[in-house]
């Protein structure tokens, strides 16, 4: 730059800068204070107000030039030859523009044209980087110089001005005096103007270029291109509401929303005079679709320091203070902030629904007072604005909205038809947090289920809904609507039947649904997929397989109603055949048959008349072969047996064997069974009725000579076995009782025969002449145990006991006798037989019989008159009303052979007594000393004889009172030892010990109770 005294002022001056300089110098001469004021103002603006705003202010001027020219603007910023150069297209420099540059607060842009600058101070920002700014335009150039200005002041020769300049260290206001530029300087090709700023050495050159960002293309309406040495920023204008900005390879799509208007007169009245004419205002929110924002500020429209933390960028014609860094407080700013809040809602409303949640401000504190005011205003509007878009595209307020957490989009669309205000699923955690901050509640599956109850849709709709549902528990969907095959709809799936895959094409399903219209079978279009069937099963439905259909209460009720019509003689054969076919089809398809169905199902008999299935017999059934030819039996119509296998008919309850009567609450003989009254009287009596009554019916229809075959039928039927079991805590079941008393084999009832293995009854009963296993034979009443037959019919057993035509083994007589004695004690007053069974196994007249009570008498009394006394001979004698042997033969005496002397004998030999005592010791008697004393007192008579009825009889031993005798034999001594020891059953062991017969003793040490040991 040439020195001030060499500035050529005689060359071209297209902008009449000489006149501007003259006017300013004249003013300073008249009022040196003005020099000071201009210098202070310029210094303040350049060092404080507009510091670090060089690129912004230059870009703003470039934008205004483009607006003034009415064409898209290009702004180029570069550093050439240590100069910061800012070139722009648009309107070139004018005299008015030069005058504005050389003045403070007197902008050339007074009209409301949409330009940015209007303060007249923006160019002052260049002084933060240079002392010699120059503007080169196609219309001419102008430059400013501190040195030239100082020289011009000195040339005035005014001491006051010189003193003032001296006080300022020789630094005058630089921009007050413009100078013509070199005529040869031109802007770059294609540009109208270029600002050239020779940079001071301390200026950070890289920072100047880095301060340029894409925000300039958003905030400065006249610029479309910004060129930097290594970057090119381009704004592509697509639509009014969207802008694409390319910053090198980076592309940002901005979604815009703008509000414009004019300030009311009362609002503009408080502003400076030159601003009152600029009543046009503009608010723009810009939302970047490709990235987030950080460290945002309010743009007015150049950046301020008013920090914002909102998802979108705010650009507006806000009034700012002199520094253009802060919003100017006052009613205009308040009004425009309210408009900004409204415009933000416009932005949200215009944005795609999935963007709106991202535009919701955070609910925490803002970064500045302006930020807090905007947030508060936006939140107030959001809460009362139908801004959220439902899954069906309807706008709702947050307080009328719902979300269905973790649900797929299609499910939400379906549910939205029943739930007004249901929003699409939030796609990100931020969206979920936004909805939470708005207070949008989560819709539970239970609430959803209840709401769907009022929705009428086709079955396919529900099927797709079921596929998409995945509840945490079945209770959540308790109220879920379920469409039925009959066209109806039920609430909740519990009790519904879901057709299995392929079931819809099976004839049995359609037939039963047609006959039972109330059957709750889910429509097949709602269960077309495995997922829908699985969901319904999970929340209470059952698979509509044949078993489930047969057990369904609605089906059972329909069958029961038809049975009731039959009882009232109103059942039509046609209805019976239709229902019967439907039920048999289900059984044929594998369905399990409930007991109730077997009771109520009707089919038709051979005459075509309706009849309960349990009363119909298959014509070819084995049971038919054992019935009496004259039995009143209804046979199944051949139409059924021709169409269905016997197994299917049997499962339905058609009789192939005996009919079963089942009563779970029996109270008396009301089952129409033969002789049932007698069973209740004899078996139940006054006791409690059995908890369950199960019996075979129609037993009285069996022919008398067909019982062997009939028993085999019962044996082969597991269900019939149940009827043979005795009720808990009671006597025999009705079926067992009846079979035992009335089923005949060879003309005799079953209880008149014994099992082959019933050894206790040998002689009393004949062995059953049928090949039946023991368990079954016993279960139908064939006699098996002595105690049972005695308890069942004491008089019958007594009669058999006394029957001379029966042969009882002598060894069984004592046990039978004891059992009969116990029976007589239990049934007092029982008539006694005229004859009794003796120990010899023969029958004896009761008047001749005696009960053996003293064992030695057995040596002299005819066994044919002796009755076994057992453990209590006196009880036996009393029971049979006969004498004891000791009473009838009390006169028996020991006598000496030949002399007839009474009670002869001599003391036993010492050897004999010793051997007897040794044997007693070996027997292990408890009272050895007593037994020893008795043995020592025993008398020995080798020819021991007693006299009975005037006849002498040889005996081996005898006892009378305290006296005892023996003939010295091992048998005699052995019996004495056992008798004295009270261990009579071991008398033979005692005899063996006395005789020293060791094999006999050893045999006593083993047991032959093996299962294969013959008895």
């Amino acid at each position: 730059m040439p020195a001030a005294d060499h500035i050529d002022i005689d060359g071209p001056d297209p902008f009449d800068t000489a006149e501007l300089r003259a006017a300013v110098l004249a003013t300073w001469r008249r009022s040196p204070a003005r020099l000071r004021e201009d210098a202070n103002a310029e210094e303040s603006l350049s060092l404080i107000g507009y510091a670090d705003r060089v690129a912004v202010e230059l870009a703003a001027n470039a934008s205004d030039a483009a607006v003034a020219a009415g064409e898209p603007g290009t702004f180029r910023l570069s550093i050439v030859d240590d100069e910061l150069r800012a070139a722009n297209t648009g309107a070139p420099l004018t005299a008015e523009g030069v005058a504005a540059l050389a003045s403070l607060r007197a902008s050339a842009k007074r009209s409301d044209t949409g330009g940015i600058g209007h303060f007249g101070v923006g160019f002052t920002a260049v002084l933060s980087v240079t002392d010699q700014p120059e503007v080169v335009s196609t219309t001419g150039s102008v430059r400013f110089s501190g040195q030239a200005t100082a020289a011009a002041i000195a040339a005035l020769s005014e001491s006051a001005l010189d003193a003032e300049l001296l006080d300022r260290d020789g630094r005058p206001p630089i921009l007050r005096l413009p100078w013509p530029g070199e005529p040869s300087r031109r802007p770059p090709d294609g540009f109208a103007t270029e600002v050239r700023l020779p940079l001071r050495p301390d200026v950070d050159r890289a920072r100047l270029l880095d301060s340029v960002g894409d925000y300039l293309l958003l905030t400065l309406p006249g610029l479309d291109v910004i060129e930097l040495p290594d970057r090119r920023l381009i704004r592509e204008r697509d639509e009014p509401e969207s802008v694409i900005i390319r910053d090198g390879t980076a592309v940002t799509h901005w979604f815009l929303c703008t509000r414009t208007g004019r300030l009311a007169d009362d609002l503009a009245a408080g502003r400076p005079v030159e601003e009152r004419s600029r009543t046009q205002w503009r608010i723009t929110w810009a939302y970047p679709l490709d990235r987030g924002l950080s460290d945002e500020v309010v743009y007015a429209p150049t950046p301020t320091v008013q920090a914002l933390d909102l998802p979108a960028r705010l650009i507006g014609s806000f009034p700012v203070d002199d520094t253009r860094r802060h919003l100017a407080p006052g009613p205009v700013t308040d009004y425009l902030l309210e408009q900004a809040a409204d415009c933000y809602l416009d932005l949200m409303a215009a944005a795609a629904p999935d963007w709106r949640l991202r535009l919701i401000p955070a609910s925490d504190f803002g970064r500045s007072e302006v930020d807090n005011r905007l947030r508060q205003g936006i939140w107030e509007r959001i809460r009362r604005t139908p801004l959220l878009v439902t899954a069906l595209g309807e706008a709702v307020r947050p307080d009328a909205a719902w979300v269905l957490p973790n649900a797929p989009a299609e499910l939400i669309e379906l549910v939205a038809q029943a739930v007004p205000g249901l929003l699409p699923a939030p796609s990100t955690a931020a969206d979920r947090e936004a909805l939470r901050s708005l207070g949008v509640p989560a819709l539970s599956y239970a609430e959803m289920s209840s709401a769907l109850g009022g929705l009428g849709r086709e079955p396919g709709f529900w099927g797709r809904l079921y596929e998409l549902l995945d509840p945490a528990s079945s209770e959540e969907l308790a109220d879920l609507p379920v469409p039925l095959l009959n066209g109806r709809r039920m609430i909740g799936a519990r009790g519904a039947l879901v057709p299995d895959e392929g079931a819809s094409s099976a004839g049995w399903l359609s037939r039963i649904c047609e006959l039972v219209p109330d059957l709750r079978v889910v429509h097949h279009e709602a269960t077309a997929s495995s997922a829908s069937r699985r969901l319904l099963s999970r929340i209470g439905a059952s698979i509509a397989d044949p078993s489930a259909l047969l057990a369904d209460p609605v089906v059972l009720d329909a069958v029961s109603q038809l049975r009731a019509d039959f009882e009232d003689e109103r059942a039509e054969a046609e209805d019976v055949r239709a229902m019967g076919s439907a039920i048999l089809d289900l059984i044929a398809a594998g369905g399990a048959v409930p007991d109730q169905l077997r009771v109520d199902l009707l089919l038709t008999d051979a005459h075509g008349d309706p009849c309960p299935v349990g009363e119909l017999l298959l014509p070819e059934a084995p049971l038919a072969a054992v019935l009496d030819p004259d039995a009143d039996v209804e046979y199944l119509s051949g139409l059924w047996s021709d169409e269905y296998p016997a197994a299917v008919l049997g499962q339905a309850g058609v009789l192939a064997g005996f009919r079963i009567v089942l009563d779970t609450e029996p109270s008396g003989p009301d089952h129409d069974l033969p002789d049932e009254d007698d069973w209740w009287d004899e078996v139940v009596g006054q006791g409690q009725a059995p908890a369950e009554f199960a019996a075979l019916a129609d037993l009285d229809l069996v022919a008398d000579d067909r019982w062997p075959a009939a028993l085999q039928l019962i044996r082969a039927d597991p269900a019939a076995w149940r009827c043979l079991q005795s009720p808990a805590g009671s006597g025999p079941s009705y079926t067992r009782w009846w079979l035992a008393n009335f089923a005949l084999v060879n003309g005799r009832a079953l209880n008149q025969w014994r099992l082959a293995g019933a050894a206790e009854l040998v002689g009393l009963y004949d062995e059953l002449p049928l090949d039946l296993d023991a368990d079954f034979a016993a279960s139908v009443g064939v006699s098996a145990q002595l105690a049972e037959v005695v308890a069942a019919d004491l008089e019958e057993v007594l009669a058999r006991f006394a029957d001379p035509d029966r042969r009882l083994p002598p060894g069984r007589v004592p046990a039978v006798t004891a059992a009969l004695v116990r029976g007589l004690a239990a049934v007092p007053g029982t008539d006694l037989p005229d004859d009794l069974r003796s120990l010899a196994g023969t029958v004896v007249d009761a008047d001749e019989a005696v009960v053996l009570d003293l064992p030695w008498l057995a040596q002299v009394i005819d066994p044919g008159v002796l009755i076994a006394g057992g453990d209590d001979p006196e009880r036996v004698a009393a029971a049979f009303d006969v004498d004891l042997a000791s009473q009838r033969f009390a006169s028996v005496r020991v006598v000496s052979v030949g002399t007839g002397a009474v009670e002869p004998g001599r003391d036993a030999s010492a050897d004999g007594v010793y051997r007897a005592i040794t044997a007693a010791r070996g027997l292990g008697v408890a009272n050895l000393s007593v037994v020893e004393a008795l043995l020592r007192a025993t008398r020995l008579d080798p020819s021991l004889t007693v006299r009975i009825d005037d006849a002498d009889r040889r005996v081996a031993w005898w006892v009378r009172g305290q006296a005892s005798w023996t003939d010295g034999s091992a048998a005699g001594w052995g019996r004495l030892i056992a008798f004295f020891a009270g261990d009579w059953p071991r008398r033979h062991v005692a005899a063996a010990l006395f005789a020293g017969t060791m094999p006999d003793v050893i045999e006593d040490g083993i047991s032959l109770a093996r299962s294969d040991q013959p008895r």
Side-chain angles (χ1 to χ4, degrees), residues 699-869:
L699 294 174
D700 57 332
L701 301 183
V702 177
D704 290 344
D705 59 347
R706 305 288 177 84
W707 272 110
L711 291 173
Q712 293 293 350
L713 289 179
I714 297 173
R715 173 67 182 84
D717 186 358
W721 274 71
R722 176 184 178 186
C723 301
L724 298 175
Q725 297 173 3
S726 300
S730 63
S733 68
Y734 162 81
T735 302
R736 174 176 177 170
W737 173 85
W738 197 94
L739 290 173
N741 287 281
F742 300 103
L744 303 179
V745 174
N746 294 345
R748 281 189 274 173
L750 289 177
N751 61 10
Q752 301 299 304
W753 301 94
R754 68 171 176 84
L755 300 179
E760 294 179 333
L761 302 180
V762 173
L764 287 175
Y765 291 83
D766 296 333
E767 181 179 340
L768 180 70
L770 296 178
D771 184 18
L772 295 177
D773 62 80
D775 288 341
F776 177 71
S779 69
V780 295
V782 177
S783 299
Q785 295 181 348
L786 178 61
E788 287 184 357
V789 297
V790 169
D793 195 342
L794 177 60
E795 291 185 359
E796 172 67 19
V797 180
L798 283 170
R800 289 173 177 271
F801 183 68
D803 186 354
D805 295 331
R806 295 200 163 274
R807 298 291 180 263
L808 269 69
R812 300 300 308 162
V813 171
V816 175
T817 303
L820 289 172
V821 170
R822 290 191 293 272
L824 289 169
V827 188
T830 302
D831 292 337
L832 297 174
D834 293 334
D835 298 322
L836 298 174
R837 187 71 61 172
S838 71
L839 283 168
T842 59
V843 174
V844 61
D845 187 295
D847 293 337
E848 298 178 7
V850 293
V851 176
L852 181 64
D853 58 336
L854 299 176
W856 54 84
L857 291 177
Q859 302 173 94
V860 297
I861 301 176
D862 180 6
V865 301
L866 285 178
I867 306 302

Side-chain angles (χ1 to χ4, degrees), residues 608-620:
D609 297 325
C611 185
V613 69
E615 298 177 10
L616 291 171
L617 184 64
L618 284 170
E620 303 300 326

